[in-house]
Amino acid sequence: MSSATSIVGTWTGYVDWGNTGSPVHNSSTVWTFNADGSWTYSSGGGRWIQNEGMVFWNFNSAPGLVYAANVTRNALDGIQGYATASPSSGQFYAVRGTVAAVAAAAKQAKEPDFTLGQK
């Protein structure tokens, strides 16, 4: 049995085409990975596979485009590109959840809990 973290669920991706060092986020980079091996985002989707701590996915609407990432508990860190006659590539990272959920968790983590030790 694999002990790797499954990517099934919703992730928010930050993509940097051309490796500029500045990942760009927009609402079209919320990815949902389904248990049946399909995935979707606002402009389409495709198929994904995971082997232990590596995941790969393609796009139905962009033949030759492949994303590959290392999987950790709540983050993906990877590269993307076209394996076609006109190659282009980049890098990305993603965090588990939607932008709103990630922001709420970060806010909650920063707020102190003053109820500790009170009766």
Side-chain angles (χ1 to χ4, degrees), residues 58-92:
N58 68 2
F59 291 73
N60 292 335
S61 62
L65 177 58
V66 177
Y67 276 51
N70 289 307
V71 180
T72 61
R73 185 173 173 187
N74 291 311
L76 303 174
D77 184 25
I79 60 172
Q80 79 273 6
Y82 286 90
T84 59
S86 345
S88 63
S89 63
Q91 57 197 11
F92 71 93

Side-chain angles (χ1 to χ4, degrees), residues 1 12 32-33 38 41 47 53 55-56 67 83-84 86 99 113:
M1 184 65 143
T12 299
T32 301
F33 294 91
S38 66
Y41 75 118
R47 302 289 301 166
V55 64
F56 305 88
Y67 276 51
T84 59
S86 345
V99 172
D113 183 356

